[in-house]
Amino acid sequence: MNNKKSELLSHQELGTRFDLFSFHEIAPGAPFWHPKGMVIFKELEKMIREALDKQDYQEISTPIMIRKDLFEKSGHFEFYKELMFTLKVDNQTFVLKPMNCPESAIIYSSRIRSWRDLPLRFSEIGRLHRKELSGVLNGLFRVRQITMDDAHIYVRADQLLDEINNLIALINSFYKIFDFKTSYHLATRPDKALGDKKLWDQAEEALAKALNKNKIQYQIQPKEGAFYGPKIEIQVKDSLGRSWQLGTIQVDFNMANRFNLNFINQQGKKENSVVIHRAVFGSFERFIGILVENYQGAFPTWLSPVQVKILNLTDKHEKYALEIAAELIALGIRVEINNANETIGKRIREAELLKIPYTLVVGSKEEKAGTVAIRMRGKGDLGSQSFDEFKDRIIQEIKNKS
């Protein structure tokens, strides 16, 4: 087992080998995403947006350059100013956005909210910047430019437990797709924290109650909560057995006080909402880094940057190759044709090295019969099949994320 682990390539090596992303000294801590890497990025974006649409989330987008005042008001500047990139514009100090929560609060407070409006779920896939020390930067695992799948959910106190339960189910459903081995942790009030300890106790109790209700074993992480509230942290193990924090569910009673995040209750009086901060992927960069190492480039078909490689035996079969490629592309399937002046054996080997899920070989026999000769990653030659049957097969495989 140890020998197998030692043979695994790092995500940086795999990123170069499969042309997914690269890092350059002109932008330390910020990946350059290549077209194939962006396919993975966009598939994850698509997957989470589809899931959130079904759960009544509303997507927002907030500015990336914000005046320092906002983070002073939220308390972030006091606790995280060392991690903030600041710049002067028109004699004012601005911050490159390091987190999304204060901006979400601005949108919530832009109008009067009723008890009937809650829960109100704001999601944001936003770019953040944090001034990590150069010595701790580590490929996609530790970056300065971060893409977060953030959400801030505003609830009444009586809705809190149900919402946490829903979030646990959402995160587990995503991690199941990738066969992640998870561990749960409850991070409690740190020594330096905002707000009344009674509110912290209430928040910690709600998180613990949800974990217990879902029969999830968890470890307490004393004093590891955020400065504004306790949190559930979900860690996953990668192919080398290392643990990484990805998903979080944080309960925050303090932001409502700082930003007047209230609603009109059934008695017609103002009442503070409770804010839940949550992320599923954590950061797209770290999540993708783990996937790249776990799969070692052999991505499942739905996530693979190239899903089908088509090889024509000779130049006279190129027209048929182009026709079937056009049909697959019209169905949303990612296709490449290799019609290089090389032997079919060499081109098949190249597709295998690139770990393409399906390679289709077409010649006179296939063109005449309307078939394709199929090679499947890991299984080799599957023989000939009608092109229509192959289309049905790959569409179902992508749909089921199998």
Side-chain angles (χ1 to χ4, degrees):
M1 184 67 180
N2 289 334
N3 289 335
K4 285 183 179 180
K5 284 186 176 182
S6 65
E7 293 169 4
L8 298 177
L9 297 178
S10 72
H11 69 277
Q12 293 101 317
E13 294 171 301
L14 292 161
T16 299
R17 176 174 293 192
F18 293 101
D19 195 23
L20 303 175
F21 53 83
S22 57
F23 288 87
H24 302 274
E25 291 182 1
I26 55 170
F32 285 71
W33 290 99
H34 298 200
K36 287 183 170 65
M38 277 306 296
V39 168
I40 298 171
F41 205 106
K42 290 193 298 181
E43 283 295 327
L44 295 176
E45 278 189 303
K46 177 183 174 184
M47 183 171 71
I48 196 161
R49 281 192 168 107
E50 287 176 350
L52 298 186
D53 284 346
K54 293 174 183 176
Q55 296 195 12
D56 197 29
Y57 278 76
Q58 301 176 58
E59 187 165 354
I60 62 173
S61 179
T62 59
I64 204 163
M65 191 172 76
I66 310 284
R67 254 187 16 211
K68 181 183 71 168
D69 315 26
L70 182 70
F71 300 104
E72 289 175 329
K73 183 175 182 178
S74 68
H76 285 95
F77 199 78
E78 177 186 352
F79 288 88
Y80 287 113
K81 62 183 176 184
E82 295 83 4
L83 289 173
M84 294 185 180
F85 288 102
T86 58
L87 60 159
K88 288 279 188 180
V89 181
D90 296 332
N91 295 319
Q92 294 180 315
T93 302
F94 285 79
V95 174
L96 289 182
K97 183 169 63 168
M99 62 278 301
N100 292 312
C101 17
E103 296 85 350
S104 172
I106 294 293
I107 294 179
Y108 180 91
S109 60
S110 65
R111 53 176 289 189
I112 296 171
R113 308 291 178 177
S114 162
W115 65 274
R116 291 186 179 89
D117 297 329
L118 307 183
L120 188 60
R121 305 178 181 97
F122 287 156
S123 65
E124 179 170 14
I125 297 176
R127 284 278 170 88
L128 308 178
H129 292 81
R130 295 180 185 171
K131 196 194 293 183
E132 300 283 1
L133 297 174
S134 58
V136 302
L137 297 177
N138 179 15
L140 294 177
F141 291 152
R142 196 69 173 257
V143 292
R144 287 175 174 164
Q145 180 176 281
I146 310 164
T147 311
M148 293 284 291
D149 69 307
D150 232 340
H152 296 91
I153 304 168
Y154 302 86
V155 299
R156 307 189 306 264
D158 63 294
Q159 297 171 320
L160 181 58
L161 185 57
D162 284 344
E163 198 65 31
I164 297 171
N165 287 333
N166 291 339
L167 292 174
I168 289 173
L170 174 69
I171 291 171
N172 283 338
S173 69
F174 270 79
Y175 291 2
K176 187 177 180 181
I177 293 170
F178 302 101
D179 293 325
F180 281 156
K181 295 179 180 178
T182 59
S183 60
Y184 278 76
H185 306 263
L186 177 55
T188 61
R189 186 176 186 271
D191 291 330
K192 290 182 68 177
L194 296 178
D196 189 340
K197 186 177 182 301
K198 289 181 180 178
L199 293 177
W200 275 83
D201 292 343
Q202 190 177 342
E204 289 174 14
E205 183 183 351
L207 292 171
K209 194 171 182 179
L211 288 167
N212 292 328
K213 186 172 182 179
N214 286 277
K215 298 180 179 178
I216 293 173
Q217 293 185 341
Y218 63 94
Q219 295 179 345
I220 299 289
Q221 290 188 320
K223 302 183 179 182
E224 291 294 319
F227 70 88
Y228 51 78
K231 57 183 175 177
I232 294 171
E233 294 181 351
I234 301 95
Q235 296 184 7
V236 304
K237 286 197 173 179
D238 65 13
S239 55
L240 294 176
R242 298 169 300 188
S243 291
W244 298 99
Q245 181 193 318
L246 294 180
T248 55
I249 303 170
Q250 306 178 44
V251 175
D252 181 355
F253 283 91
N254 291 299
M255 197 157 78
N257 291 325
R258 294 200 160 219
F259 286 92
N260 295 318
L261 304 178
N262 50 52
F263 61 92
I264 306 302
N265 63 22
Q266 287 176 278
Q267 290 73 44
K269 296 180 180 179
K270 287 184 178 180
E271 182 178 331
N272 274 357
S273 59
V274 183
V275 183
I276 304 174
H277 310 242
R278 80 99 187 96
V280 177
F281 297 142
S283 81
F284 277 79
E285 288 78 12
R286 179 175 289 179
F287 197 91
I288 292 173
I290 292 168
L291 290 183
V292 169
E293 291 196 1
N294 284 3
Y295 290 124
Q296 291 288 298
F299 297 101
T301 302
W302 71 272
L303 195 58
S304 184
V306 179
Q307 295 165 322
V308 178
K309 180 81 82 171
I310 301 175
L311 314 178
N312 50 298
L313 283 174
T314 68
D315 288 347
K316 69 179 183 179
H317 308 118
E318 186 174 1
K319 182 181 177 183
Y320 182 53
L322 289 168
E323 287 173 356
I324 63 175
E327 282 196 48
L328 291 171
I329 291 168
L331 293 170
I333 295 166
R334 298 184 287 274
V335 179
E336 284 184 354
I337 296 177
N338 185 348
N339 55 6
N341 187 24
E342 297 172 340
T343 66
I344 194 68
K346 185 175 181 180
R347 285 182 283 158
I348 288 172
R349 178 61 178 155
E350 182 183 289
E352 288 174 346
L353 289 173
L354 292 173
K355 301 188 180 181
I356 309 295
Y358 287 99
T359 301
L360 306 183
V361 180
V362 295
S364 298
K365 181 176 70 173
E366 288 77 23
E367 185 172 7
K368 185 176 180 180
T371 61
V372 289
I374 304 170
R375 296 187 66 85
M376 185 179 181
R377 182 183 62 208
K379 294 188 177 179
D381 188 1
L382 300 185
S384 291
Q385 188 177 48
S386 79
F387 182 49
D388 287 340
E389 287 177 325
F390 174 73
K391 285 190 293 185
D392 290 342
R393 173 189 186 130
I394 193 169
I395 287 169
Q396 280 302 117
E397 190 172 322
I398 293 169
K399 182 180 177 181
N400 295 333
K401 292 184 169 53
S402 56

